[in-house]
Amino acid sequence: MFDFIIAGAGFAGSVLAERLASQLNKKVLIIDKRNHIGGNTYDYYDNEGIMVHKYGPHIFHTNSREVFDYLSRFTDWRQYEHHVLASVDGQLVPIPINQNTVNALYGLNLTCDQIGDFLKSRAEKRDHIKTSEDVVINAVGKELYEKFFKSYTKKQWGLDPSELDASVTARVPTRTNRDNRYFTDVYQCMPLRGYTKLFENMLNHPNIKIMLNTDYAEIQNIIPHKTLIYTGPIDSYFNYCYGKLPYRSIDFKFETLATECFQPTGTVNYPNTQAYTRITEFKYLTGQKHSKTSIVYEYPKADGDPYYPIPRPENNKMYKKYQILAATLPHVYFTGRLGTYKYYNMDQVVAQSLTLFKKIMQDDESKPLPEHKLLPGGIETQITKFKFDANGSAAE
């Protein structure tokens, strides 16, 4: 009998598994459809021995001391500040737009004081900021909007910025200084030995068992448990009874090149004519020394693994129906980007799971938990805890 089954071995599920096992002495089974732990942050060594991120680049950054201190239990860190360039007008210029970006694009030499006035002169003020288009045009005007945001957003989301919630482009602010860093958070770093190693350490507890290549629907009536934590798509759990929530997915094209360095920084965005949105070179992120380098091209698409909930009013309205339905289920919790249909960064997912753990502690003290018994004729299931070898491959 497990106290908890957790569906999903990414940050949302793994943080909760670790907290429940180590702090409340709960017996936890964590399962995942994929053949590995770590969710979308899973990393491994490719055939040339270069560490890559299987589902695109993941750079850790947070302003939360609680989140940073918690994860520091399971990893040492490599200090890393991410820099992104955008290919615009035949140049590679910093993004977010800042003093260096404007000076390079227009051949100017504006000071910090002057750059603010320049952007104000280009901005077209919007009385009501409702869409992603409103956010950018209100801040920098149509010309910079079209150079940096319009086509990139269309590629990324399959929608014009005027059709998307303001939160999408608000994630990339405009600056009036020379700060070329993509993020400005207090804590910016990468797990020293990679994300997969972090997850191995996090889940290394005698109260935690792991099953991979497993869908919750396949085992829900076979393995007895008291409580479910579900981090998969909430609409899938309810068999899409209110319709399918839209997501954007990505095709990743990896290449290993016989050169030490391919591009001048970790990520280069291609906001205009190319089919891909960006290229990331992993050695910048990991700090690995190698005579070759590995890169990944990202091609957004409509179908495939659900990566990005699409923030639009009609989608949020559909999610609210699922949220109300979920609230009627005793001893079932939904969390994570897919479980709550929110475009979270990974530090926000960790914070959400730490908060949910505190709620579960309160619920555990106040409510008797029913036992989910095996159905007649249930089959025995082998529960195997997996470890990962140096190449990131799953092995018993």
Side-chain angles (χ1 to χ4, degrees):
M1 162 66 69
F2 288 97
D3 297 304
F4 288 83
I5 286 183
I6 299 178
F11 268 118
S14 296
V15 168
L16 282 159
E18 187 281 326
R19 292 286 82 189
L20 291 165
S22 68
Q23 302 302 299
L24 299 184
N25 198 33
K26 299 297 185 182
K27 304 296 183 184
V28 178
L29 172 64
I30 187 166
I31 67 173
D32 203 288
K33 285 184 176 181
R34 292 168 170 167
N35 66 351
H36 58 75
I37 59 175
N40 289 343
T41 63
Y42 171 69
D43 49 26
Y44 66 100
Y45 290 93
D46 66 15
N47 292 335
E48 297 290 341
I50 302 172
M51 180 176 279
V52 299
H53 296 181
K54 183 176 177 66
Y55 305 99
H58 285 79
I59 294 93
F60 180 77
H61 58 99
T62 187
N63 285 315
S64 169
R65 179 63 183 265
E66 180 186 16
V67 169
F68 178 75
D69 285 350
Y70 171 73
L71 293 179
S72 296
R73 299 168 187 238
F74 313 108
T75 186
D76 295 323
W77 298 100
R78 171 183 178 261
Q79 295 303 309
Y80 173 73
E81 294 181 335
H82 194 50
H83 289 75
V84 178
L85 298 173
S87 178
V88 175
D89 292 350
Q91 301 182 67
L92 295 179
V93 294
I95 187 79
I97 294 169
N98 65 17
Q99 182 182 355
N100 294 326
T101 311
V102 171
N103 283 339
L105 276 179
Y106 296 102
L108 302 173
N109 191 28
L110 300 177
T111 65
C112 287
D113 293 334
Q114 292 171 324
I115 191 69
D117 292 335
F118 176 88
L119 292 175
K120 284 179 183 178
S121 72
R122 297 297 181 104
E124 299 177 23
K125 291 301 177 183
R126 300 284 173 99
D127 293 333
H128 302 287
I129 306 297
K130 295 182 178 180
T131 71
S132 285
E133 180 182 81
D134 294 333
V135 170
V136 181
I137 291 179
N138 183 72
V140 298
K142 281 188 179 178
E143 184 178 9
L144 289 171
Y145 161 72
E146 291 179 352
K147 287 180 183 293
F148 287 90
F149 291 96
K150 184 173 183 177
S151 295
Y152 187 96
T153 304
K154 276 187 173 181
K155 286 192 288 185
Q156 179 70 17
W157 296 96
L159 295 166
D160 190 86
S162 63
E163 302 175 275
L164 283 166
D165 187 86
S167 62
V168 173
T169 49
R171 293 167 65 95
V172 185
T174 301
R175 299 175 185 153
T176 57
N177 55 27
R178 294 184 180 275
D179 189 349
N180 286 339
R181 297 175 302 165
Y182 196 71
F183 307 112
T184 58
D185 301 65
V186 174
Y187 304 100
Q188 300 186 49
C189 45
M190 297 290 289
L192 185 62
R193 295 171 183 84
Y195 287 102
T196 299
K197 187 65 178 177
L198 182 158
F199 277 89
E200 287 179 13
N201 294 336
M202 185 183 292
L203 297 175
N204 183 22
H205 192 283
N207 286 349
I208 299 174
K209 305 300 179 186
I210 301 172
M211 289 181 69
L212 303 177
N213 300 304
T214 302
D215 190 320
Y216 173 70
E218 298 170 349
I219 56 92
Q220 62 179 324
N221 294 322
I222 297 173
I223 299 178
H225 58 285
K226 296 176 181 178
T227 301
L228 169 68
I229 296 173
Y230 194 82
T231 74
I234 190 171
D235 54 341
S236 173
Y237 179 88
F238 291 109
N239 294 314
Y240 310 105
C241 64
Y242 296 127
K244 191 169 184 177
L245 288 166
Y247 289 88
R248 287 295 281 177
S249 190
I250 301 174
D251 267 339
F252 300 102
K253 179 186 175 185
F254 291 83
E255 289 184 4
T256 299
L257 306 173
T259 180
E260 284 194 31
C261 181
F262 172 74
Q263 59 190 26
T265 193
T267 296
V268 176
N269 286 359
Y270 291 86
N272 297 306
T273 58
Q274 295 83 355
Y276 48 87
T277 51
R278 60 183 181 177
I279 302 173
T280 294
E281 186 169 1
F282 291 105
K283 284 166 59 180
Y284 284 97
L285 282 57
T286 64
Q288 185 179 4
K289 304 300 182 184
H290 198 286
S291 60
K292 296 183 180 181
T293 194
S294 282
I295 62 174
V296 64
Y297 296 78
E298 296 183 39
Y299 296 84
K301 61 179 184 175
D303 300 320
D305 287 348
Y307 293 125
Y308 301 107
I310 301 176
R312 302 183 73 192
E314 56 267 42
N315 300 343
N316 294 333
K317 185 176 180 180
M318 185 189 299
Y319 164 70
K320 290 294 183 184
K321 292 181 179 180
Y322 284 115
Q323 186 181 37
I324 292 169
L325 187 57
T328 68
L329 299 181
H331 315 299
V332 179
Y333 299 93
F334 294 85
T335 191
R337 185 184 277 195
L338 304 182
T340 56
Y341 201 68
K342 294 289 188 303
Y343 185 15
Y344 288 133
N345 292 328
M346 60 181 132
D347 68 312
Q348 294 172 312
V349 172
V350 173
Q352 183 189 44
S353 289
L354 292 174
T355 299
L356 178 55
F357 169 68
K358 295 170 186 175
K359 180 181 187 304
I360 290 172
M361 279 199 301
Q362 295 174 348
D363 291 350
D364 188 60
E365 293 171 356
S366 61
K367 298 178 184 177
L369 296 175
E371 179 176 320
H372 291 263
K373 297 184 180 295
L374 290 172
L375 291 181
I379 62 172
E380 289 186 9
T381 302
Q382 177 79 26
I383 301 173
T384 305
K385 179 152 185 177
F386 285 83
K387 296 182 179 178
F388 288 77
D389 61 27
N391 292 321
S393 300
E396 292 187 14

